[in-house]
Amino acid sequence: MREPAVAGVIGWPVSHSKSPLIHRFWLGKLGLDGDYSRFPVLPEQIGTFVRALPVMGLRGVNVTVPHKLAVMAHLDDLAPGAAAVGAVNTVVVGRDGRLIGHNSDVAGIAGPAGPALAGRSMLLVGSGGAARAAAAAARLGGASALWIMARNHNAAGALLAASGLPGGVMAIGDPLPADTGLVFNATTLGMAGQPPLQIDLGWLPADAVVFDAVYAPLETALLAEARERGLATIDGLAMLIGQAAEAFRLFFAAEAPRQHDDELRALLIR
């Protein structure tokens, strides 16, 4: 009898992750024999845990903060998309036991944000793993410029240079460029237990879109302010579901049943 397909998500912390709900929902809709769980992994244990994936019988894991960069040192190969981004959010165990790094965050950002990117400037907050995916999405989506607001100016400068887009590096709290079409928060600021992201959205044009990758809580202070100003918003579930669909295909060799997205969102916000 064939063993059920099992995958999961690693991070520190990881108790907030809604990924198990998403993957179990899709497995149930498709009638597939499988499961998906959370695995809290300390930063100093990332290599030990990832190298043990084949022994544990897992198909792979999604990777969340703070491991998206550190995990790459413990993999056998990178898929082209992950190599281009320079960050991994999905590790797949091949049939030969090799560990392959992928990045599905780009699709999770570019899908919902596409119309706000083309020919417009993007303001990216952060310089870590999710920010790398957002910079790749800006390039692929045809953004005219990329402005990066981050505490680590060196990392932000390197990310800007790698994107190949014009723009600049800013400090958190600086005035936003007036032609910004999309603001993307790729930090944990605004997450439950973290301080809010404090930027002045009054500089934005009326047709700008504010996209927050944080989904716990779903209504962050950043999104609440954007809505108060009449700006269009995209919440973290849009990115989470979009990137999860690509990971689901990699783990379970099946397309996620996206026709049930409304039902899934209702489940996730209970």
Side-chain angles (χ1 to χ4, degrees):
M1 181 181 295
R2 187 178 180 183
E3 290 292 325
V6 179
V9 57
I10 61 173
W12 188 264
V14 77
S15 59
H16 66 281
S17 175
K18 295 181 181 291
S19 293
L21 284 172
I22 297 173
H23 288 269
R24 289 171 180 170
F25 176 84
W26 287 335
L27 287 167
K29 288 295 184 183
L30 295 176
L32 296 179
D33 186 12
D35 199 12
Y36 185 103
S37 299
R38 299 182 189 94
F39 299 98
V41 178
L42 287 164
E44 59 267 29
Q45 296 173 339
I46 181 67
T48 301
F49 186 91
V50 170
R51 296 306 306 182
L53 290 176
V55 178
M56 292 189 289
L58 271 67
R59 294 283 185 89
V61 288
N62 284 120
V63 183
T64 188
V65 293
H67 302 319
K68 291 185 179 185
L69 302 183
V71 73
M72 293 191 294
H74 308 287
L75 305 179
D76 296 308
D77 203 359
L78 297 178
V85 172
V88 163
N89 80 321
T90 306
V91 176
V92 176
V93 180
R95 291 186 178 180
D96 56 0
R98 287 172 58 81
L99 302 174
I100 311 301
H102 297 257
N103 194 301
S104 63
D105 280 340
V106 177
I109 297 167
L117 283 172
R120 303 286 297 276
S121 291
M122 174 177 173
L123 173 73
L124 170 59
V125 185
S127 58
R132 289 171 181 248
R139 183 177 64 251
L140 294 173
S144 61
L146 177 63
W147 297 88
I148 303 178
M149 182 179 286
R151 293 193 180 103
N152 189 331
H153 280 209
N154 289 335
L159 181 55
L160 177 64
S163 77
L165 292 170
V169 174
M170 307 164 61
I172 291 179
D174 283 352
L176 310 189
D179 65 339
T180 300
L182 177 73
V183 174
F184 186 87
N185 176 30
T187 74
T188 58
L189 293 174
M191 183 183 290
Q194 298 291 325
L197 172 59
Q198 296 182 328
I199 57 176
D200 184 3
L201 301 180
W203 294 84
L204 294 176
D207 62 347
V209 177
V210 178
F211 191 160
D212 198 334
V214 171
Y215 60 84
L218 187 60
E219 175 78 346
T220 63
L222 178 67
L223 293 184
E225 182 186 349
R227 291 193 181 103
E228 288 176 3
R229 294 181 178 276
L231 300 172
T233 61
I234 303 173
D235 62 43
L237 288 187
M239 178 180 174
L240 182 67
I241 294 172
Q243 65 82 22
E246 175 62 14
F248 186 87
R249 182 185 65 80
L250 293 169
F251 295 149
F252 302 111
E255 295 296 329
R258 298 295 301 276
Q259 67 270 27
H260 302 293
D261 274 10
D262 288 345
E263 183 182 350
L264 176 58
R265 284 186 64 92
L267 176 66
L268 291 171
I269 61 178
R270 284 179 185 171

